[in-house]
């Protein structure tokens, strides 16, 4: 069974059980990140097995800390009342406190994995710019932000030791397929959202053009492994906002966001790792 997401692990390599369908031997020590890189237990970001909530595994140096949350274009609340997301975003829940976003059993198991849960993302009708799921990597609160407000202080986490990330995804039957994995930085995050980008300086609507890379969910109800590296030619800003250089020392979070505005999304993600 995979370790709980809230536990600390040794920095020494250990045996992990991963998807045979991705060329990974179930029970091999280290494993493969999909591009020949070794998967190390201490590089796990989230496996969604924790019973208290979908959290970022407290490994690394310094240890990562955060919780997974939903976010969308209904911000401030009432901006896009047609946007329905499960679970609702923290903003949509206000004035009620944020709810724990929990992993749950996916509709089909992933061959080779010893875990039983994944993170389920669902939204539809988000017609301004869309919706997404994400987790801060260095939340300064001890509880990973579960007791905080709707605006989190953004604290950078240095991802320089890593070349990118690898993860697995599964599409629901009626889901749109186009998504983008992105890594916001303090540089382009709005001041109002805890970052350093001042719209009075760069222009209205010009903050939050984050670095990331698009990917397409697999069809047919099968799991697929994706590997995204900082060096990929398609890993960049979209281009609609203020330009900032990629700075891996300034990364605040990991997020998966819709590409097709207003579409219905229903998908699962599991076992997100940094790769060296």
């Amino acid at each position: 069974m995979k370790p709980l997401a809230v536990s600390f692990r040794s920095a020494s390599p250990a045996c992990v059980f991963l998807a045979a369908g991705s060329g990974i031997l179930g029970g091999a020590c280290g494993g493969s990140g999909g591009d020949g890189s070794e998967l190390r237990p201490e590089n796990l970001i989230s496996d969604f097995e924790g019973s208290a909530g979908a959290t970022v595994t407290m490994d690394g140096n310094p240890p990562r800390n955060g919780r997974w949350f939903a976010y969308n274009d209904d911000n401030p609340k009432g901006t896009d009342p047609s946007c329905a997301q499960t679970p609702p975003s923290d903003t949509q829940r206000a004035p009620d406190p944020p709810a724990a976003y929990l992993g749950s059993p996916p509709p089909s198991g992933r061959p080779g994995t010893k875990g039983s849960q994944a993170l389920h993302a669902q939204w539809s009708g988000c017609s301004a710019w869309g919706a997404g799921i994400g987790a801060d990597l260095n939340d300064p609160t001890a509880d990973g932000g579960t007791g905080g407000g709707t605006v989190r202080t953004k604290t950078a986490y240095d991802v320089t030791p890593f070349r990118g990330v690898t993860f697995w995804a599964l599409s629901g039957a009626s889901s749109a397929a186009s998504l983008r994995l992105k890594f916001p930085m303090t540089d382009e995050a709005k001041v109002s959202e805890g970052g350093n980008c001042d719209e009075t300086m760069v222009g209205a609507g010009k903050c939050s053009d984050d670095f990331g890379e698009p990917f397409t969910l697999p069809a047919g109800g099968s799991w697929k492994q994706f590997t995204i590296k900082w060096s990929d030619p398609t890993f960049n800003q979209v281009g609609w906002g203020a330009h900032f250089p990629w700075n891996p020392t300034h990364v605040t979070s990991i997020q998966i966001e819709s590409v097709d505005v207003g579409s219905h999304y229903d998908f699962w993600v599991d076992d997100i790792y940094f790769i060296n």
Side-chain angles (χ1 to χ4, degrees):
M1 178 176 290
K2 290 188 290 186
L4 290 177
V6 295
S7 64
F8 285 85
R9 293 182 183 82
S10 166
S12 61
C15 292
V16 292
F17 293 81
L18 298 166
S22 298
I24 305 171
L25 297 177
C29 287
S32 167
D35 65 343
S37 60
E38 183 181 26
L39 286 183
R40 299 178 180 274
E42 66 270 20
N43 289 352
L44 176 66
I45 298 174
S46 293
D47 62 7
F48 309 112
E49 296 297 320
S51 60
T55 60
V56 170
T57 303
M58 296 182 72
D59 274 317
N61 186 21
R64 296 177 285 277
N65 183 51
R67 69 170 178 95
W68 283 83
F69 54 86
Y71 66 95
N72 56 56
D73 57 27
D74 188 21
N75 187 7
K77 186 177 182 179
T79 300
D80 184 5
S82 66
C83 179
Q85 188 168 20
T86 304
S89 69
D90 294 351
T91 300
Q92 289 178 314
R93 283 183 53 84
D96 292 334
Y101 195 174
L102 295 168
S104 57
S108 62
R110 187 160 55 78
T113 184
K114 295 299 180 182
S116 62
Q117 299 190 129
L119 195 65
H120 193 189
Q122 296 175 287
W123 63 82
S124 61
C126 303
S127 302
W129 55 260
I133 56 173
D136 290 333
L137 296 172
N138 193 14
D139 194 300
T141 58
D143 62 0
T146 57
T150 57
V151 177
R152 301 172 181 82
T153 300
K154 297 297 182 182
T155 305
Y157 187 84
D158 186 0
V159 301
T160 302
F162 312 111
R163 294 189 299 129
V165 295
T166 191
F167 62 98
W168 285 259
L170 170 72
S171 175
S174 60
S175 178
S178 297
L179 289 160
R180 187 168 183 261
L181 180 74
K182 62 179 192 172
F183 292 86
M185 302 184 296
T186 52
D187 307 60
E188 83 281 351
K190 296 178 184 178
V191 171
S192 62
E193 296 177 354
N196 298 327
C197 185
D198 187 345
E199 288 190 318
T200 64
M201 301 293 293
V202 302
K206 294 298 183 180
C207 296
S208 304
D209 187 358
D210 307 312
F211 275 82
E213 185 170 324
F215 68 97
T216 302
L217 292 169
S222 60
W223 286 94
K224 181 178 178 180
Q225 184 183 10
F226 296 89
T227 297
I228 290 175
K229 294 178 283 187
W230 322 141
S231 60
D232 289 344
T234 50
F235 182 81
N236 47 41
Q237 292 180 279
V238 177
W240 50 261
H243 172 72
F244 293 92
W246 169 246
N247 189 332
T249 67
H250 290 182
V251 169
T252 63
S253 56
I254 178 172
Q255 297 178 2
I256 300 176
E257 195 169 279
S258 55
V259 171
D260 298 327
V261 175
S263 295
H264 171 70
Y265 280 88
D266 182 357
F267 64 94
W268 303 75
V269 293
D270 197 14
D271 287 352
I272 307 173
Y273 281 82
F274 282 119
I275 55 173
N276 295 112

